[in-house]
Amino acid sequence: MELGIRDKVAMITGGSLGIGLAVAEGLAAEGVHLALCARDEERVVGVAEQIASKYGVKTIAVKADVGKAEDVNRFVAETEKAFGGADILINNAGTGGGETILEAPDEKWQQYWDLHVMAAVRFAKLMQPIMVRRGGGVIVNNVSICATQPLPYEPVYNVTKAALAMFTKCLANEFIKYNIRVNAINAGLILTPDWVKTAKMLTEGQDSTWESYLDQIARDNTPIGRFATPEELAHFFVFLCSPLASYCVGSSYYVDGGWLKVVN
Ligand code: NDP
């Protein structure tokens, strides 16, 4: 199927690993040029080079912590310098947690708020004039099923992702008049390094291994009984970025193996 996004430019935050990397590869396979950012410079530079040579697209890599306003500004500026702007923005960078509300210090709330919410707010304000100049654009926020169905061990994550879901809706309403479509994807269990890190943390000193912990989570929670690969999820991101999704505006799409327990 021709998706009609060849030679578009996409910015992906956290494009060096996990879901962000899979989306980067999915878009590159459709001929989209890429600006990737992450904090680990060596890794994001390596990934950008590999994708460029594998798919024949142009790529840049920018070291940036998107929880910081100055790094958000720099990522946008570097993308403008390299490509004259971007047509697609994937707000993907994010991370899970492990705390109770009583334990979590104010600094943790602030850090997750900056990473999951303020990054998307800042990118939106910077990208609006750029996308308008290019005739429109697409923004996809990688939210989470936890925005509506919280996991018990990570309230700070759940709350900040819920805020990102509401920001997505408000932004979609405000930006559609500029021909900028904004949507969210609420993924369920996607087997990425972040899950492995969380599983190792939660099973440290316990009887079960992190592998059996993950397997049990999938069987306990999802009707499908397994994690998805990042690539399975990336297909949906790529579709939402394409003109084939032209009537998709302001929605949160669940890709969760049936995990969501309500009709939403
Ligand atoms: P990974 O930890 O596997 O990858 C995260 C990516 O984001 C890496 O490239 C990392 O690179 C980058 N990153 C992390 N923090 C920052 C930051 N402050 N600034 C810039 N880049 C950053 O995570 P996942 O792929 O699992 O998760 C990606 C997104 O998907 C997150 O927002 C997560 O909440 C969401 N999600 C994940 C699900 C899952 O099951 N995996 C389910 C639902 C949602 P570096 O460390 O070098 O900065």
Side-chain angles (χ1 to χ4, degrees):
M1 194 191 302
E2 176 56 52
L3 292 184
I5 48 178
R6 185 161 299 282
D7 287 325
K8 297 285 185 193
V9 176
M11 298 171 71
I12 305 177
T13 70
S16 64
L17 209 63
I19 296 167
L21 171 57
V23 174
E25 294 224 38
L27 288 170
E30 295 297 322
V32 175
H33 308 293
L34 299 174
L36 308 178
C37 84
R39 294 162 303 174
D40 181 332
E41 187 169 23
E42 199 181 326
R43 188 164 58 200
V44 73
V45 166
V47 160
E49 285 172 2
Q50 272 172 22
I51 291 178
S53 78
K54 184 170 172 189
Y55 298 98
V57 295
K58 294 180 201 131
T59 63
I60 63 162
V62 178
K63 175 183 162 66
D65 177 345
V66 298
K68 297 179 177 160
E70 61 273 25
D71 285 21
V72 170
N73 292 341
R74 193 158 37 76
F75 184 36
V76 172
E78 292 288 324
T79 305
E80 279 227 83
K81 201 162 92 187
F83 297 114
D87 313 286
I88 295 165
L89 167 66
I90 312 284
N91 283 308
N92 164 73
T95 189
E99 69 284 310
T100 65
I101 292 169
L102 285 178
E103 278 165 13
D106 287 5
E107 292 72 29
K108 179 151 196 177
W109 285 95
Q110 191 62 56
Q111 183 201 340
Y112 276 58
W113 177 256
D114 286 340
L115 174 59
H116 292 150
V117 185
M118 288 313 298
V121 173
R122 290 169 176 146
F123 275 116
K125 290 166 80 170
L126 292 168
M127 293 310 295
Q128 187 270 354
I130 294 170
M131 287 179 167
V132 166
R133 210 173 60 220
R134 295 166 75 90
V138 177
I139 299 175
V140 183
N141 293 331
N142 191 358
V143 183
S144 168
I145 192 172
C146 294
T148 45
Q149 184 169 280
L151 278 169
Y153 58 81
E154 50 183 1
V156 181
Y157 179 81
N158 300 330
V159 170
T160 52
K161 287 288 186 169
L164 178 59
M166 180 54 80
F167 175 70
T168 303
K169 188 70 184 166
C170 296
L171 188 70
N173 290 342
E174 190 172 320
F175 272 23
I176 191 60
K177 62 175 170 288
Y178 306 116
N179 194 29
I180 299 172
R181 290 188 301 107
V182 185
N183 287 288
I185 295 181
N186 288 345
L189 299 175
I190 317 297
L191 194 50
T192 65
D194 200 42
W195 259 110
V196 174
K197 185 184 76 185
T198 305
K200 283 182 176 165
M201 184 181 78
L202 295 174
T203 52
E204 201 182 329
Q206 311 280 319
D207 288 340
S208 67
T209 63
W210 63 266
E211 291 96 334
S212 62
Y213 171 83
L214 289 178
D215 192 45
Q216 194 63 44
I217 287 206
R219 281 192 278 112
D220 285 352
N221 289 292
T222 60
I224 202 169
R226 65 170 177 85
F227 275 72
T229 63
E231 292 71 28
E232 283 181 283
L233 176 62
H235 295 310
F236 199 70
F237 274 84
V238 173
F239 166 74
L240 267 189
C241 292
S242 80
L244 296 185
S246 52
Y247 208 62
C248 297
V249 176
S251 288
S252 292
Y253 296 95
Y254 290 84
V255 182
D256 66 351
W259 188 13
L260 186 70
K261 291 188 170 52
V262 296
V263 177
N264 191 353

